[in-house]
Amino acid sequence: MIRLQQIQRVFQVGEEEVHALRNVDFSADKGEYIAIMGPSGSGKSTLLNIIGLLDRPDGGTYELDSIMTTTLNDREQAHVRRHKIGFVFQFFHLVPRLTAEQNVELPLVLAGVDKDERHLRVRETLGAFGIGDRARHRPDQLSGGQRQRVAIARATIMKPSVILADEPTGNLDRASGNDVVHILEELNRQAITLIMVTHDPELGERAKRRIKMVDGGIEEDTGS
Amino acid sequence: MHVQDFIQLTVNAVRSQRMRSFLTALGIAVGIGSVVLLTSLGEGLHRFMLAEFTQFGTNLIGINPGKVTTHGVSGALISNVRPLSIEDAQALKRIPQVVDVVSVVQGNAAVEAGKRQRRTTIYGIDPAAPEVFKLQVASGRFLPDDPPRAARSFAVLGSKVREELFGSGQALGERIRIGSERFRVIGSMESKGQLLGFDLDDTVWIPTAKALAMFNRESLMEIDVLYEEGSSADEVASQIRKILIARHGSEDFTITTQEKMLEVLGKILNILTLAVGGLGGISLLVGGVGILTIMTIAVNERTNEIGLLRALGSEKNQILGLFLGEAIVLASIGGLAGLLLGVGGAWLLGFLVPALPTHTSWTYLLAAEMLAAAVGLLAGVLPARRAAALNPVDALRSE
């Protein structure tokens, strides 16, 4: 469950103050499938970053799974991020010197999970995403679609309650893009909340709930 | 995060840039290598010097005439320094802990034997000299125990003088002329070698009273006191002071215990070792700057990765630790290589130039490796702090 109330985010650009988010109210129930759309600079990425606890709002409150995150310190926020949130990025963000397996393992390593359990979970997850045979390949030996699968595997290995995807198909051809969307939708069917920022109207149409942002505010919300 | 995972991540990062890591570690290796090599040289020199100075024994106290003080009046208007006499030396023998006393007068004179002549160092000395200075008689015997003021004209030759004057011929019983006086050779000494370039074998030993007369001196140059093993040098020195003040009326002499001298010498040599080590430290500093540079570049290159790690839920401290760890791993690898370099260099130097004393001590090696790690830590702090302080959103966005 996500509940944002009166969220504000202001950036200082030179002399000017830019209001990236203006008193945004937004909430989502567990297992929702939401697409956030809107023109560049409308604040959709900022909203996603705040939901993902990568960015702190300048005002307002944010509650995630009944945790009031806006009062947590940096360390506690890192802990929440680690266990509750999975990120999928447009540019995959795989560590180039690590194999697919090691990339997927990374969140478990950071969380201090034991080696044996880690290997079990990584094998299982890679298998489930159909890239078990690519486990020992490095990112530069993988296709774009395979890279994004590795990234999604990494985002889900901690069994998060929310997956945040920022233009997940933006850097893929149509076939791989569809592939990736199907994987994300399959995860959504397993009751993981999926919030996706996209420019692509076709992709947006697939979501059950669509939010359109303009100039730091929510202009349109189809509701759930 | 588990320790072995932490180590694996940092080592992995270091290994992924082999050439760069190698060159950076090389900088530290050269620094540590030179520190080890130079301190080995310093320590070798230290031991060499101490061995040179203790070859005469360590339970010695030297007494010289005159007191080293600074007075307000320029120049000695009235000299009230009494000479150290043979009788002073004899008086010191009464101290219970004193084993023996040797009075010393030194000078230069021509020594003539048959047609051969040689200018050499003449020592006026007491019969106890072999025992006190740990000298060995090669043939014949040392000066006999005559009454000090009425010693007979006997001479004992240093090994070099004996060889120069008599070659392979017989020296014992021969007559020689020193200055204007005639002496009979009654013995010759084993070779003792050189002390700081001073040839101890190019000497002739004669009774003290004869030397005083020969060089027209009133005062002994030095009295050396050998005391019992295990008794306190300071206690013996204070008794000597008491006796001599009673005889002279004031403290117009200087007492130097070998113990004090060695202590001072040791201090000087330690400073020397430290100083040459410091010279090596400069190259280590340069190596540290190398690590700082590479880590700064690494943080810039991997800004994206830092953002990702933050997104995956790592704390700032973990990021800080990872980059610090990387710097320390780099420095420690360089340090180990440097130890090999330094020890190998010292060994090679000892092998090629045997005259050059080198000594590598384990404590220095350990300290050098710790130093390398510390340099890594220091050099890593700034870049690592920068990495940890990055805003995750900006870090992820950078390309």
Side-chain angles (χ1 to χ4, degrees):
Chain A
M1 182 217 45
I2 293 168
R3 183 178 297 143
L4 279 72
Q5 283 177 314
Q6 294 293 303
I7 290 290
Q8 288 188 56
R9 184 72 176 101
V10 183
F11 292 108
Q12 193 79 32
V13 181
E15 294 284 289
E16 241 181 304
E17 281 192 341
V18 176
H19 290 260
L21 293 177
R22 298 169 193 269
N23 304 329
V24 171
D25 290 313
F26 167 76
S27 55
D29 291 328
K30 189 169 173 58
E32 275 203 76
Y33 178 7
I34 302 166
I36 302 176
M37 306 183 68
S40 295
S42 58
K44 46 190 199 306
S45 286
T46 306
L47 182 63
L48 200 73
N49 287 333
I50 284 179
I51 295 172
L53 293 173
L54 283 178
D55 201 359
R56 275 175 183 273
D58 295 310
T61 57
Y62 167 27
E63 203 179 323
L64 171 65
D65 290 352
S66 36
I67 302 165
M68 185 51 79
T69 66
T70 27
T71 56
L72 298 180
N73 65 23
D74 199 75
R75 207 186 153 137
E76 291 160 339
Q77 283 203 348
H79 189 262
V80 171
R81 201 157 57 225
R82 183 188 298 160
H83 291 280
K84 299 224 171 268
I85 298 162
F87 284 96
V88 177
F89 305 98
Q90 180 179 0
F91 296 103
F92 323 132
H93 284 311
L94 298 177
V95 179
R97 63 176 181 280
L98 300 180
T99 62
E101 198 174 41
Q102 288 169 325
N103 266 291
V104 174
E105 196 184 12
L106 209 48
L108 297 172
V109 170
L110 291 171
V113 176
D114 280 330
K115 204 170 190 141
D116 293 339
E117 195 194 332
R118 270 184 353 226
H119 280 271
L120 211 70
R121 274 165 78 172
V122 169
R123 289 259 150 227
E124 206 175 282
T125 311
L126 282 176
F129 286 100
I131 38 175
D133 56 333
R134 291 277 182 249
R136 294 188 186 279
H137 288 59
R138 271 203 285 275
D140 56 2
Q141 297 162 316
L142 299 174
S143 73
Q146 286 169 335
R147 286 184 210 184
Q148 197 58 304
R149 281 172 192 234
V150 173
I152 295 171
R154 184 180 61 194
T156 55
I157 192 104
M158 294 297 287
K159 304 192 181 357
S161 60
V162 187
I163 285 187
L164 303 173
D166 195 349
E167 305 275 8
T169 60
N171 214 26
L172 296 173
D173 59 61
R174 182 156 287 275
S176 313
N178 281 334
D179 221 28
V180 162
V181 170
H182 285 136
I183 291 172
L184 290 172
E185 286 174 353
E186 175 55 35
L187 289 168
N188 177 239
R189 269 192 287 280
Q190 295 164 23
I192 298 177
T193 312
L194 174 62
I195 302 178
M196 188 155 54
V197 162
T198 183
H199 267 112
D200 184 354
E202 202 177 312
L203 195 55
E205 284 303 315
R206 298 177 65 101
K208 298 192 188 85
R209 177 178 168 195
R210 285 175 300 281
I211 288 171
K212 193 175 179 209
M213 291 195 69
V214 175
D215 202 18
I218 294 175
E219 194 188 63
E220 198 183 312
D221 186 349
T222 63
S224 44
Chain B
M1 195 165 20
H2 291 303
V3 176
Q4 68 254 48
D5 292 326
F6 173 79
I7 293 171
Q8 207 184 347
L9 272 177
T10 50
V11 169
N12 197 313
V14 169
R15 272 177 51 189
S16 71
Q17 295 275 359
R18 274 170 213 272
M19 193 60 183
R20 199 158 93 178
S21 298
F22 168 74
L23 290 174
T24 313
L26 187 66
I28 292 291
V30 169
I32 289 291
S34 52
V35 167
V36 169
L37 184 61
L38 287 170
T39 50
S40 293
L41 269 172
E43 186 66 15
L45 190 69
H46 190 154
R47 296 193 168 219
F48 174 76
M49 295 279 275
L50 283 188
E52 286 279 284
F53 275 93
T54 51
Q55 63 177 327
F56 300 107
T58 45
N59 298 332
L60 280 181
I61 295 174
I63 303 137
N64 299 85
K67 180 83 189 157
V68 186
T69 47
T70 308
H71 293 288
V73 184
S74 146
L77 295 178
I78 309 154
S79 171
N80 58 354
V81 174
R82 284 163 180 260
L84 279 179
S85 66
I86 290 176
E87 287 69 32
D88 288 335
Q90 295 302 311
L92 295 180
K93 278 190 182 168
R94 290 197 291 272
I95 299 170
Q97 293 97 320
V98 167
V99 178
D100 242 315
V101 175
V102 174
S103 47
V104 182
V105 179
Q106 185 213 338
N108 261 294
V111 180
E112 246 179 85
K115 284 179 187 159
R116 297 195 182 191
Q117 198 194 40
R118 182 176 179 81
R119 241 195 130 70
T120 183
T121 311
I122 310 293
Y123 272 106
I125 209 121
D126 284 341
E131 192 191 349
V132 174
F133 295 138
K134 297 194 161 67
L135 304 170
Q136 296 292 324
V137 177
S139 64
R141 58 200 202 83
F142 202 72
L143 300 172
D145 207 355
D146 288 340
R149 284 286 178 192
R152 286 167 287 172
S153 297
F154 289 143
V156 176
L157 305 182
S159 63
K160 190 164 186 181
V161 175
R162 198 206 76 88
E163 208 180 296
E164 291 293 332
L165 291 180
F166 296 99
S168 54
Q170 181 60 260
L172 290 184
E174 293 294 323
R175 288 188 174 282
I176 58 172
R177 181 185 290 275
I178 304 174
S180 55
E181 268 192 81
R182 293 166 69 81
F183 289 79
R184 185 188 290 276
V185 178
I186 58 164
S188 64
M189 307 303 288
E190 290 268 8
S191 173
K192 182 83 176 174
Q194 297 193 342
L195 172 64
L196 304 175
F198 192 82
D199 195 345
L200 292 165
D201 297 329
D202 200 0
T203 51
V204 175
W205 312 84
I206 60 173
T208 315
K210 294 282 176 198
L212 280 175
M214 183 181 297
F215 300 120
N216 198 21
R217 287 182 63 98
E218 263 185 89
S219 170
L220 299 173
M221 285 177 151
E222 185 172 307
I223 299 174
D224 287 301
V225 175
L226 174 71
Y227 58 89
E228 275 171 0
E229 186 81 48
S231 40
S232 144
D234 288 336
E235 200 186 303
V236 178
S238 76
Q239 290 196 53
I240 292 172
R241 185 171 296 120
K242 210 187 297 171
I243 290 179
L244 289 182
I245 288 175
R247 292 178 63 86
H248 287 201
S250 66
E251 190 170 344
D252 54 358
F253 51 87
T254 305
I255 298 178
T256 318
T257 64
Q258 183 87 344
E259 223 176 72
K260 270 265 153 49
M261 227 176 77
L262 288 177
E263 205 176 284
V264 171
L265 187 71
K267 262 186 205 158
I268 293 171
L269 291 170
N270 275 339
I271 289 170
L272 188 80
T273 305
L274 215 66
V276 291
L279 283 181
I282 293 174
S283 48
L284 189 60
L285 192 75
V286 175
V289 173
I291 288 194
L292 178 67
T293 312
I294 284 301
M295 289 314 296
T296 307
I297 293 173
V299 170
N300 277 337
E301 279 179 352
R302 285 169 23 208
T303 301
N304 232 290
E305 185 185 321
I306 294 162
L308 170 78
L309 286 174
R310 294 299 301 281
L312 295 181
S314 68
E315 296 158 18
K316 282 183 179 181
N317 282 345
Q318 282 179 320
I319 305 280
L320 186 84
L322 281 172
F323 279 90
L324 266 186
E326 218 174 300
I328 294 173
V329 165
L330 267 176
S332 303
I333 291 173
L336 281 177
L339 291 188
L340 286 180
L341 221 68
V343 171
W347 178 82
L348 200 69
L349 205 65
F351 181 73
L352 295 177
V353 196
L356 213 61
T358 60
H359 184 269
T360 317
S361 82
W362 280 104
T363 39
Y364 273 125
L365 292 190
L366 201 68
E369 182 60 19
M370 302 295 273
L371 186 66
V375 165
L377 184 73
L378 277 176
V381 165
L382 276 179
R385 283 180 58 143
R386 214 168 62 84
L390 282 175
N391 177 324
V393 174
D394 295 340
L396 277 167
R397 206 178 286 142
S398 88
E399 270 310 319

